[in-house]
Amino acid sequence: MENVIIDDLPLHRLNRSVLRQRIIAVPQEAVFLPDGSTVQNNLDVAEEATAEECKGVLESVGLWEFVEKRGGLNAGMNASSFSAGQRQLLSFGRALLRRSVRERKFGAAGQLGGILLLDEVSSSVDQQTERIMQETIRTEFKNYTVIAVSHRLDMIMDFDRVVVMDTGEIVEVGNPAMLAKEVGTRFGDLVRAGNK
């Protein structure tokens, strides 16, 4: 078994608190506070952001108008009033907010980056929203290592490396753009099958 190395340090030598600060995860199924909790509380669970930061994040993920029509940041929310795609966007907004707060709190040290974990983050959004998410990841998380689980291959085409798995086993590793062009690669076969 190989060791996990982060910034040239083995994982077991990293301070867990520092490691937790450097990892931002966006699950496929967002978890929300109990019904009636405010939108701001659901967006900023750690209560570290300003209302302006929360509004800015909601604008950047395209949810501000929806939230504003339902009473704004301090209105009680019910997760079931959001579509599956809107819940994913709110969860993605949490990641953006966490990155922004970290940068504000730690200044230049906050810009060093970290690890962004994405689990099927775009599975319930349309292609236009997925493109916006991709661009946001490229710009807002440019100093981060991004690890994404995705069945939507467009989401990962500009990543540096793709790991193709089949029944829990790694079957191929390489640059997605190069593998997509090669005949006989598993990834290329998946891309071609998706384009039909």
Side-chain angles (χ1 to χ4, degrees), residues 17-196:
S17 174
V18 171
L19 181 61
R20 285 185 191 110
Q21 290 174 1
R22 302 277 303 272
I23 295 176
I24 298 174
V26 183
Q28 180 177 3
E29 292 294 328
V31 177
F32 293 97
L33 297 173
D35 289 349
S37 301
T38 68
V39 173
Q40 185 163 343
N41 288 143
N42 273 285
L43 186 62
D44 179 26
V45 179
E47 299 181 352
E48 297 179 309
T50 66
E52 293 77 27
E53 287 172 318
C54 290
K55 180 183 175 190
V57 162
L58 290 172
E59 287 173 338
S60 69
V61 298
L63 286 177
W64 175 244
E65 284 184 33
F66 180 81
V67 168
E68 189 176 35
K69 286 178 185 172
R70 282 156 181 76
L73 292 172
N74 293 316
M77 72 168 269
N78 181 334
S80 63
S81 65
F82 286 72
S83 70
Q86 288 171 323
R87 289 192 299 269
Q88 281 188 316
L89 287 171
L90 189 62
S91 186
F92 186 62
R94 285 179 182 157
L96 285 170
L97 189 63
R98 185 156 176 223
R99 184 209 52 83
S100 176
V101 167
R102 181 174 175 253
E103 207 168 280
R104 176 175 42 83
K105 284 173 64 175
F106 299 109
Q111 296 174 5
L112 293 176
I115 299 170
L116 177 64
L117 302 174
L118 305 172
D119 182 12
E120 296 286 358
V121 71
S122 65
S123 62
S124 296
V125 299
D126 59 33
Q127 286 186 328
Q128 180 182 353
T129 304
E130 181 180 16
R131 282 192 290 276
I132 292 167
M133 292 172 91
Q134 289 171 330
E135 183 58 32
T136 303
I137 292 166
R138 272 193 290 279
T139 58
E140 299 296 324
F141 293 96
K142 64 183 172 206
N143 296 326
Y144 279 65
T145 297
V146 180
I147 300 171
V149 174
S150 182
H151 286 88
R152 290 175 76 168
L153 303 181
D154 289 346
M155 184 74 179
I156 49 137
M157 285 305 291
D158 64 343
F159 278 39
D160 296 327
R161 183 178 300 164
V162 64
V163 176
V164 181
M165 298 184 74
D166 186 6
T167 61
E169 298 289 323
I170 295 173
V171 295
E172 192 168 70
V173 177
N175 178 279
M178 293 175 68
L179 289 174
K181 293 176 188 173
E182 291 180 30
V183 175
T185 64
R186 295 286 288 271
F187 186 75
D189 292 345
L190 290 170
V191 170
R192 284 183 283 286
N195 290 335
K196 289 182 179 178

